[in-house]
Amino acid sequence: MAAAGGGECDVIMTPAAANLVAPSHPEGPAMLSDEDEDAGTRREAESFKEQGNAFYAKKDYNEAFNYYTKAIDACPSNASYYGNRAATLMMLGKFREALGDAQQSVRMDDSFLRGHLREGKCHLSLGNAMAASRCFQRVLELDHKNAQAQQELNNARTVLEYEKIAEIDFEKRDFRKVVFCMDRALEFAPACHRFKILKAECLALLGRYPEAQSVASDILRIDSTNADALYVRGLCLYYEDCIEKAVQFFIQALKMAPDHDKACLACRNAKALKAKKDDGNKAFKEGNYKLAFDLYTEALAIDPNNRKTNAKLFCNRGTVNAKLRKLDEAIEDCTSAIKLDDTYIKAYLRRAQCYMDTEQYEDAVRDYEKVYQTEKTKEHKQLLKNAQVELKKSKRKDYYKILGVDKNASEDEIKKAYRKRALMHHPDRHSGASAEIQKEEEKKFKEVGEAFTILSDPKKKARYDSGQDLEEDGMNMGDFDANNIFKAFFGGPGGFSFEGKCHQLNRGSPEFVQREAVGFSSGSAS
């Protein structure tokens, strides 16, 4: 875009210089008059300008700049020299310096069309579309058919429209739209720091920190005191949870611009967030989980935009909930952390453990798989393997649940549980019930016998607990007879009889159930 405004220099000599003729002098020694000296200076200035034009044509803009400067030094009242130097500065990307020369050229000659065009182009490149529009309108006043001025005026209006849309979308927090508008505006205003800063700020708010850092760093290389760029650098560090470094940049921005509202707010939030998080960590380490929960919750309310820090806060609060045995709430907090930062391994691990503790093994396997894909360590591999074993076990019959005992139940507890459940579901007890109930109770009676067969045998129990497939190990659970297990447990054919021992009790009465539950049998096992 710079080339369009500065791509042609003014090579026509001024009328005064073009009409110079050698004055006639009488013979003999001649003294140079003031007019002769001025003419010589003008010729020298024109020579510098012509050399500048030659270097400009070769795209050696630095040398062109040097010769145009010599021309100005020799003859500072020529508008075209300033115009030519402005064009050269524009080609060098130095639009602010070029603007000064362009403005000087039109102050000296208000009818200088190229001067007005260059001033307008400099304003537009620097992002001042309103000032640019006035310059292009002045050209059209002088030459209403000037196509370049009309095109540049349209460009300035386009930039103004993008500015307006971006302002509205920023208020709506539609940061992607703002970035789009700023990219379009920067095509016409490549040197506008204001547009670049707004783009960088939105990139930071979108979590695109490397891009935002790059834009801010480019500006700081040109202007190390730019408060807006310092603020954006700090903002990126703040959102990447490098809070202490972020505060340093915010403080530096405030030194450059004490009334920088955004830097002031960000600095205050950063300090408050760090203090609250540190207090929460201290309470957790001291075992004061209720206080830690409250402090993490307060920290989460400080700045919803700080996704990375908030992800850690959610995970920390999830750990607190896990300590308080509020596992569902812990899972919810870890899920919130992962939504904010889907690369946060610690949150996946915490959630996976909560899934294990609540026997949601498929979800646990999924989280451990994610962790192991990201970090292939021996520890993560073992955690995944353990979850897969528990998942496999969960899809088999839960013999502990069938007997109603804990997984750490003793041999005696397993026997007592079998005796109670076997008597409860024995087919003879339900001989007077409907066919449907008889069928259901018979099924439960068989499952109870199956569970006891496995859990009462140390070898079978060990294989079952390790997640091995019992049928693959040669134990076909469909071949055993629950009645034989029952008879063996209660001491054989004469050891127990519902009719013989309990004929005085109604099978459905509470007394009957209670006596059987406590082992109402002369042959019951201990």
Side-chain angles (χ1 to χ4, degrees):
M1 302 303 293
E8 188 177 350
C9 287
D10 311 301
V11 296
I12 300 173
M13 295 174 64
T14 59
N19 295 324
L20 285 176
V21 293
S24 56
H25 297 284
E27 292 182 5
M31 296 294 293
L32 289 175
S33 66
D34 289 343
E35 185 177 341
D36 290 334
E37 287 184 5
D38 289 344
T41 300
R42 285 195 293 270
R43 281 195 296 271
E44 183 182 34
E46 279 297 308
S47 173
F48 288 141
K49 186 184 98 166
E50 292 301 329
Q51 291 179 76
N53 288 349
F55 282 114
Y56 188 97
K58 295 176 183 178
K59 299 184 179 181
D60 187 346
Y61 301 119
N62 286 312
E63 278 301 307
F65 172 84
N66 292 334
Y67 278 98
Y68 290 141
T69 300
K70 290 178 180 180
I72 290 170
D73 291 342
C75 186
S77 61
N78 191 306
S80 71
Y81 298 167
Y82 287 98
N84 282 6
R85 192 168 71 174
T88 302
L89 287 166
M90 290 170 71
M91 298 306 292
L92 290 169
K94 298 179 179 181
F95 294 100
R96 200 164 297 281
E97 295 93 322
L99 177 62
D101 276 352
Q103 289 174 326
Q104 178 64 16
S105 74
V106 296
R107 276 195 293 269
M108 297 173 71
D109 181 0
D110 185 53
S111 65
F112 186 24
L113 292 181
R114 287 182 180 173
H116 286 295
L117 279 170
R118 287 168 185 152
E119 182 188 359
K121 279 294 298 175
C122 289
H123 278 307
L124 187 57
S125 294
L126 293 167
N128 192 345
M130 288 289 281
S133 297
R134 289 192 291 270
C135 294
F136 300 136
Q137 286 168 344
R138 176 58 182 153
V139 174
L140 291 171
E141 288 172 6
L142 295 170
D143 177 10
H144 69 277
K145 293 183 178 180
N146 193 300
Q148 185 181 359
Q150 186 60 61
Q151 180 59 53
E152 295 296 352
L153 180 60
N154 291 338
N155 291 344
R157 288 169 177 168
T158 298
V159 170
L160 286 171
E161 185 64 22
Y162 280 129
E163 279 192 82
K164 182 178 178 182
I165 295 170
E167 183 179 354
I168 294 170
D169 287 328
F170 189 88
E171 290 298 318
K172 293 179 179 177
R173 301 186 65 80
D174 188 350
F175 302 125
R176 282 186 173 81
K177 186 76 172 294
V178 178
V179 171
F180 172 83
C181 288
M182 290 301 94
D183 279 337
R184 300 291 80 76
L186 284 164
E187 291 175 2
F188 302 103
C192 181
H193 287 179
R194 184 164 48 89
F195 292 170
K196 290 178 180 180
I197 288 294
L198 181 56
K199 175 185 174 180
E201 183 179 1
C202 289
L203 287 170
L205 292 168
L206 288 168
R208 293 160 62 178
Y209 307 122
E211 295 172 75
Q213 288 269 31
S214 177
V215 174
S217 296
D218 287 345
I219 293 172
L220 288 171
R221 274 192 288 272
I222 299 169
D223 178 9
S224 62
T225 65
N226 189 297
D228 291 325
L230 290 167
Y231 159 71
V232 170
R233 283 291 304 276
L235 195 65
C236 291
L237 291 166
Y238 171 60
Y239 285 151
E240 289 183 293
D241 198 40
C242 300
I243 295 180
E244 290 184 8
K245 289 183 179 179
V247 169
Q248 294 174 9
F249 274 97
F250 294 144
I251 291 173
Q252 196 174 349
L254 289 168
K255 286 180 180 177
M256 298 300 110
D259 59 346
H260 198 296
D261 292 337
K262 288 183 177 180
C264 184
L265 176 61
C267 190
R268 187 165 62 246
N269 283 347
K271 289 179 178 179
L273 199 55
K274 184 179 185 303
K276 197 70 73 173
K277 182 184 174 186
D278 289 347
D279 288 345
N281 292 345
K282 182 181 177 184
F284 180 83
K285 288 177 182 177
E286 293 172 351
N288 192 342
Y289 301 131
K290 180 64 174 66
L291 177 60
F293 178 90
D294 292 340
L295 288 167
Y296 290 141
T297 301
E298 290 171 15
L300 283 165
I302 291 174
D303 185 1
N305 291 323
N306 195 324
R307 298 172 66 87
K308 207 148 195 173
T309 302
N310 287 344
K312 292 183 178 180
L313 289 168
F314 270 120
C315 188
N316 287 0
R317 197 173 73 174
T319 303
V320 171
N321 276 322
K323 288 288 186 182
L324 295 170
R325 303 310 296 167
K326 296 180 179 179
L327 297 178
D328 289 339
E329 290 89 336
I331 290 171
E332 196 174 307
D333 276 342
C334 291
T335 300
S336 296
I338 290 166
K339 284 180 180 176
L340 292 174
D341 182 3
D342 62 3
T343 66
Y344 192 16
I345 295 299
K346 189 175 179 180
Y348 284 104
L349 288 169
R350 169 57 56 194
R351 187 172 71 173
Q353 184 57 57
C354 291
Y355 281 140
M356 292 290 285
D357 292 341
T358 54
E359 299 184 0
Q360 300 178 64
Y361 300 120
E362 288 189 7
D363 291 325
V365 168
R366 186 188 64 242
D367 278 356
Y368 282 133
E369 284 177 340
K370 172 72 175 178
V371 170
Y372 185 63
Q373 287 169 5
T374 306
E375 295 181 359
K376 288 182 166 58
T377 67
K378 288 183 178 180
E379 180 186 359
H380 294 159
K381 184 177 182 179
Q382 187 60 49
L383 288 170
L384 174 58
K385 184 178 178 181
N386 293 345
Q388 289 170 334
V389 168
E390 292 301 322
L391 175 59
K392 184 178 180 181
K393 287 163 62 176
S394 72
K395 292 184 176 181
R396 305 173 310 173
K397 290 180 181 178
D398 187 340
Y399 292 140
Y400 292 102
K401 188 174 182 180
I402 289 170
L403 290 182
V405 295
D406 185 78
K407 291 181 179 181
N408 298 315
S410 66
E411 182 180 350
D412 188 52
E413 288 171 331
I414 290 170
K415 285 181 179 180
K416 288 180 180 179
Y418 170 69
R419 178 174 59 205
K420 178 181 177 179
R421 296 297 173 111
L423 291 172
M424 186 183 299
H425 299 298
H426 194 285
D428 285 353
R429 164 180 281 182
H430 304 282
S431 59
S434 66
E436 185 178 349
I437 291 176
Q438 287 185 39
K439 185 177 180 180
E440 181 63 26
E441 292 299 327
E442 183 178 359
K443 178 185 176 184
K444 290 180 179 179
F445 179 68
K446 288 181 178 180
E447 287 181 340
V448 168
E450 184 180 326
F452 180 69
T453 299
I454 299 303
L455 299 183
S456 62
D457 184 315
K459 291 183 179 179
K460 292 177 182 178
K461 182 177 182 295
R463 285 197 289 270
Y464 174 77
D465 288 343
S466 67
Q468 294 182 47
D469 192 324
L470 299 178
E471 292 192 0
E472 286 181 3
D473 291 343
M475 285 178 270
N476 188 347
M477 303 313 297
D479 292 341
F480 84 102
D481 188 328
N483 286 311
N484 289 338
I485 297 169
F486 184 84
K487 290 174 183 177
F489 184 85
F490 286 101
F496 182 85
S497 169
F498 277 91
E499 297 298 333
K501 296 292 182 183
C502 304
H503 64 277
Q504 293 136 333
L505 295 176
N506 185 328
R507 284 192 178 85
S509 69
E511 294 88 351
F512 181 83
V513 174
Q514 178 63 29
R515 292 180 69 177
E516 290 178 9
V518 297
F520 179 62
S521 168
S522 59
S524 59
S526 61

